[in-house]
Amino acid sequence: METETNARDRQGPAAVKKTATARAVALVMAAAALAALSACGGGGSGSSGFAFLPGPPPAPAPAPAPPAADGPMVRQTVAGKVEGVDDSARTGTWFWKGIPFAKPPVGALRWRAPAAPEPWSGIRPATRFGNACLQIGRIFSPGANNTYDETIGTMLGKPSGSEDCLFVNIWRPATEEKNLPVLLFIHGGSNISGYTADPLYDGAALAKAANAVVITASYRLGILGFLNVPQLRPGGSEGDDSGNFALLDNMAALRFIRDNVASFGGDPGNVTLSGESAGATNLLSVMTSPMAKGLFHKAFEMSGGISLASNLPPGTLPSLSPASVSLAQGEAILEKLLVADGTAADATAAKAYIATRTPAQIADYLRSQDGGKMLTTVVGVQGAIGPIPDGTVIPTDPIGAIAADQYAKVPMLSGNTRDEGKLFASLLGTIGFPKPGWIVNDAQRFSMMFSFDPDAAPTLKVEDIIDPFYLPVDKAGTGYDAATALITKGLFEANRDNLLDTMKTRQSNIWHYRLDWAQEASPWNDVYGAAHAFDLPFVFGNFGPSVLSNVIRGKANEKGRLALSNAVMASVGAFMRTGDPNTPELGATWAPWPSQLLLDATPTATKITLMQ
């Protein structure tokens, strides 16, 4: 077979050149055809000619940017990340507000134990307070803007807040220090009012002074927080059947602290549970609950009590009532709602209607009610609201449980004010006196307090506020001081003595103070003096605008008032750290109960003494 080389050898030079030229032309045409085919496929869009050789390989795609680093105020909770505020320039603290510690207790979760919050992705802003819990407006309720302002006066008697309200707020010093002691505060308000956004409860000053993490937590109020209706009992072990939904909220806040506070620099093994008035009563109830075991390590109660009438001497007023009382209240509330919406003509017809319905039908009916309308409807029949001694969440006899050593036996700091009863002068007509102590209603009294300028020339007199029957205030027997002292002794001191004397049989680390400070500008030094809740500004170090602070502050008393507050905050900090409130700032040695430390000040200096 003739090879290509042999054939080329027989051709002349001209033939070889012709053949080479033909092949070059063919190669060019083939390249052009391939380029054209490529262009038809869209692979060379925008090219101005044919590509004869492959170009350089494409540059690799840039690597994805790393996620942005979390800001310095971002903290991780079990449910997700939250970002707070660096307030170091103003208060020396960092804060995180409005962090949910439970799902909104709405719809099917109304009157159920709080459930863990839904997790979230991304970073949740924690810069503003959450909603106040739904309530009927009182002086200690929020205004229309969830804060202390003039709208509190216009919201009296009206629904305010929301059922979506279970949030915590956290303050800590603006440092990187870890394992700080932690305080959880439960606000007061008769378990029917109050809100954590009240400037009185801002935790910045106390967190800075005590070098601690200070937390406030909301809880359900009124009949949304405490309601004993058998048809709402689903069974189970979460406390749903008890009616003590507010106490379950308090304990859910403690569990939030246990699971999350380390992220904020707090020590979950050193938690002080605190509260004032109704908040203190809730705290003391939680102390006796088997469900709260291990959730806190110290207690600081102000003006609370958990005594039943059976625990107290005759002529005194209990803080708690048996479960049978709340059961009757629950029945009356259900009947009232059925009559109010026209389902039944009267209470008798309501009872008959209830008897024909299943528990599930009654539960659905109650959960279908508009919250604000429901609270408004039942105001007249709900009676006193508070912990229900159901035997599950709290014992049927909480004082008896303490006597039997069945409670959280932790160091106890306890406090009262000298003139507790003066804040309740409007109730004098209900305890044997002929009329209320004040001649002004709540709207008028709030307006007086809101607009009061302690540094201006006096424009108010005691006669503008206190009924003439109780004047002069120091009149023996029926004067304002003597009359309101009966409330102080019969309610607050009777419950205090019963509680602390019973605890004393089981532990010795109990300390008690009495606030005697009454340096307000006239006439509030007589109207209130050292009234119920007036220790709160001293504990929190807050004398800015608030319902109480407006009548407490003033240049005339400022030096002594602030000195007393500083000593109190130092003592609270010492108690949180060690379980003992003694500290050099007090200038006195505080002996355990039954001794009492009297907290007072002149206009310019502290005046702290021990009463044996």
Side-chain angles (χ1 to χ4, degrees), residues 333-359:
I333 287 167
L334 177 55
E335 292 165 8
K336 177 72 172 179
L337 291 171
L338 289 166
V339 172
D341 68 8
T343 302
D346 53 30
T348 301
K351 292 180 190 294
Y353 177 85
I354 293 167
T356 66
R357 294 297 182 269
T358 66

Side-chain angles (χ1 to χ4, degrees), residues 131-149 151-156 158-162 193-198 221:
N131 301 321
C133 286
L134 185 62
Q135 57 197 278
I136 299 299
R138 301 170 76 224
I139 280 183
F140 294 100
S141 295
N145 304 304
N146 194 32
T147 190
Y148 169 75
D149 61 23
T151 65
I152 291 174
T154 64
M155 293 296 293
L156 295 174
K158 300 176 183 177
S160 64
S162 167
S193 65
Y195 61 115
T196 62
D198 189 328
L221 300 169

Side-chain angles (χ1 to χ4, degrees), residues 196-222:
T196 62
D198 189 328
L200 188 60
Y201 307 133
D202 187 286
L206 180 57
K208 184 74 165 61
N211 196 33
V213 177
V214 174
I215 301 176
T216 59
S218 49
Y219 59 97
R220 283 171 277 184
L221 300 169

Side-chain angles (χ1 to χ4, degrees), residues 438-482:
W438 296 323
I439 58 174
V440 294
N441 60 29
D442 282 354
Q444 293 168 322
R445 184 163 56 102
F446 173 77
S447 178
M448 290 175 174
M449 295 169 71
F450 185 84
S451 60
F452 184 70
D453 181 353
D455 300 318
T459 58
L460 286 174
K461 305 181 297 295
V462 290
E463 292 83 1
D464 296 323
I465 302 170
I466 298 175
D467 190 283
F469 177 85
Y470 301 101
L471 297 176
V473 295
D474 57 357
K475 179 174 58 177
T478 59
Y480 185 78
D481 292 347

Side-chain angles (χ1 to χ4, degrees), residues 154-203:
T154 64
M155 293 296 293
L156 295 174
K158 300 176 183 177
S160 64
S162 167
E163 289 188 67
D164 178 3
C165 66
L166 298 183
F167 303 96
V168 297
N169 314 293
I170 303 172
W171 292 262
R172 62 148 296 146
T175 69
E176 297 295 340
E177 190 173 351
K178 300 184 184 301
N179 293 318
L180 297 174
V182 180
L183 181 138
L184 171 63
F185 178 78
I186 305 171
H187 68 74
S190 303
N191 271 308
I192 59 174
S193 65
Y195 61 115
T196 62
D198 189 328
L200 188 60
Y201 307 133
D202 187 286

Side-chain angles (χ1 to χ4, degrees), residues 25-39 50-52:
V25 172
L27 285 172
V28 170
M29 294 177 64
L34 287 172
L37 287 171
S38 177
F50 300 127
F52 298 105

Side-chain angles (χ1 to χ4, degrees), residues 291-319:
M291 299 175 67
K293 185 176 181 180
L295 291 178
F296 62 100
H297 315 93
K298 301 175 181 70
F300 173 22
E301 73 88 19
M302 294 170 264
S303 304
I306 47 171
S307 298
L308 298 164
S310 57
N311 303 128
L312 298 173
T316 56
L317 301 170
S319 292

Side-chain angles (χ1 to χ4, degrees), residues 19 37 111-112 127 195 258 265 300 338 360 438 458 505 510 530 539 560:
T19 301
L37 287 171
W111 296 305
R112 297 296 299 268
T127 60
Y195 61 115
R258 178 196 63 194
F300 173 22
L338 289 166
W438 296 323
T505 67
I510 305 167
V539 169

